[in-house]
Amino acid sequence: MSSRPELQAPPEIFYNNDEARKYTSSSRIAEIQTKLSERAMELLALPDDGVPRLLLDIGCGSGLSGETITENGHQWIGLDISHSMLNVALEKEVEGDLLLGDMGQGLGLRPGVIDGAISISAVQWLCNADKSSHEPRLRLKTFFGSLYRCLARGARAVLQVYPENLAQRELILSYSMRAGFAGGVVVDYPHSTKKRKEYLVLTCGPPSLSTAVPNGKGEDGESSSDDESSGDEETQMVCISDRHRPRKKQKINKKGKGREWVLRKKEQMRRKGNAVPPDTKYTARKRKARF
């Protein structure tokens, strides 16, 4: 069986009461989550003016990443699909407000109220169809669309992800760009198997100097340059230019859809019991440029 939890069971089932307490009580997991959260807050690049911001923690779990937000002096709202994880967070009396919900169905927050968002090891769950009604592309579209709407103009979202492969990373990135975000992927320690971490750094709004993607950290803890991280396709940094991919050309029949095709479709609709206008000599006739 795969060690990736998202391939074993849906999150609300995988993180049951036992797994939620085991996850939260592990000092190793707590240390990893703290480091990831601190790095996400660094990439969020909030103004250092002492003014508390309202942040969104997507897939907050038991509140480990929320504690980092609190330590940085900000208020936060946490969203998670696991009831057991949220119960543990309530027992810990975390500072943030907690919401039980599925991010794949939208965040359900008012437009422009969130000053920034982070997510630790959660968004890749959307790439799996846990139910027959789940379509990963539609769920990603819904999630990123609702995230874009609830963020204030110019606000950032930093989503730490564990994509299963390059195709899954590109799928997540492409739907974030379609929602209107500018940004790309920051890869820390790109040449390390264990320490490699990927962050999707997104800005609400069109590309500008302020939406430039930060550099990832190298093996020595310092920012790695473009030359260091461009060794192969797996470790390249994805830039803003990826937003402007040429659209696929639609195949257009020069003759168009003729009368026979229209009559056949209308007959199919009648068999289904739909109300269809009667056939006349004007059916499928092309209108003139000036009507």
Side-chain angles (χ1 to χ4, degrees):
M1 181 179 290
S2 173
S3 60
R4 297 178 67 94
E6 61 266 24
L7 299 181
Q8 298 182 33
E12 65 271 26
I13 296 177
F14 180 84
Y15 290 109
N16 53 27
N17 291 332
D18 294 336
E19 188 66 28
R21 297 186 183 282
K22 177 182 175 183
Y23 185 94
T24 308
S25 60
S26 171
S27 58
R28 174 179 169 273
I29 291 178
E31 181 182 359
I32 294 174
Q33 285 285 98
T34 300
K35 289 181 178 180
L36 293 175
S37 303
E38 290 175 348
R39 176 59 171 154
M41 291 296 296
E42 178 184 344
L43 293 171
L44 205 57
L46 294 171
D48 188 14
D49 53 8
V51 178
R53 262 69 182 188
L54 178 60
L55 305 182
L56 177 63
D57 186 2
I58 304 163
C60 64
S62 58
L64 294 175
S65 50
E67 291 175 351
T68 301
I69 298 176
T70 301
E71 290 173 0
N72 280 267
H74 302 292
Q75 300 174 345
W76 58 279
I77 299 173
L79 174 77
D80 203 276
I81 196 174
S82 170
H83 197 277
S84 299
M85 278 289 202
L86 294 179
N87 282 339
V88 175
L90 288 173
E91 292 177 5
K92 292 169 55 181
E93 297 182 350
V94 296
E95 296 292 332
D97 296 323
L98 304 175
L99 299 175
L100 177 65
D102 179 6
M103 60 181 169
Q105 295 181 353
L107 302 177
L109 298 172
R110 291 174 59 186
V113 298
I114 302 298
D115 299 314
I118 67 169
S119 177
I120 307 299
S121 314
V123 176
Q124 71 271 5
W125 287 83
L126 293 176
C127 296
N128 298 281
D130 297 319
K131 300 178 181 178
S132 59
S133 60
H134 283 183
E135 169 53 50
R137 287 173 174 80
L138 292 178
R139 287 169 61 76
L140 284 168
K141 179 181 178 181
T142 301
F143 165 67
F144 282 113
S146 62
L147 177 60
Y148 187 90
R149 288 189 294 273
C150 75
L151 286 174
R153 189 72 169 177
R156 268 190 180 181
V158 178
L159 315 175
Q160 187 272 324
V161 295
Y162 287 112
E164 188 176 4
N165 47 46
L166 185 61
Q168 195 173 94
R169 179 217 277 180
E170 292 181 347
L171 178 67
I172 296 172
L173 180 64
S174 65
Y175 275 90
S176 67
M177 298 295 108
R178 292 181 187 183
F181 285 104
V185 176
V186 173
V187 182
D188 285 353
Y189 310 105
H191 305 296
S192 173
T193 304
K194 293 183 178 180
K195 296 179 67 176
R196 177 189 173 97
K197 296 293 184 293
E198 298 188 14
Y199 299 83
L200 192 59
V201 182
L202 307 172
T203 303
C204 184
S208 65
L209 292 176
S210 62
T211 63
V213 181
N215 287 333
K217 290 184 177 180
E219 295 295 338
D220 55 355
E222 299 297 330
S223 295
S224 60
S225 65
D226 293 341
D227 295 336
E228 292 173 348
S229 59
S230 59
D232 55 74
E233 188 177 11
E234 282 286 345
T235 59
Q236 286 182 359
M237 183 180 297
V238 183
C239 299
I240 295 175
S241 57
D242 282 10
R243 298 184 77 245
H244 308 291
R245 298 176 181 173
R247 294 184 178 181
K248 294 182 179 178
K249 295 182 179 179
Q250 296 181 351
K251 296 181 179 180
I252 301 175
N253 187 358
K254 292 183 178 179
K255 295 183 179 180
K257 298 173 181 177
R259 179 180 173 84
E260 293 182 0
W261 183 89
V262 174
L263 293 175
R264 186 167 65 251
K265 286 294 181 181
K266 291 178 72 173
E267 186 60 31
Q268 291 177 359
M269 297 294 285
R270 291 190 185 100
R271 291 172 185 170
K272 293 180 180 180
N274 296 327
V276 181
D279 300 334
T280 68
K281 64 179 182 179
Y282 301 107
T283 300
R285 181 178 293 184
K286 186 177 180 181
R287 293 180 183 269
K288 295 181 180 180
R290 295 180 62 186
F291 180 70

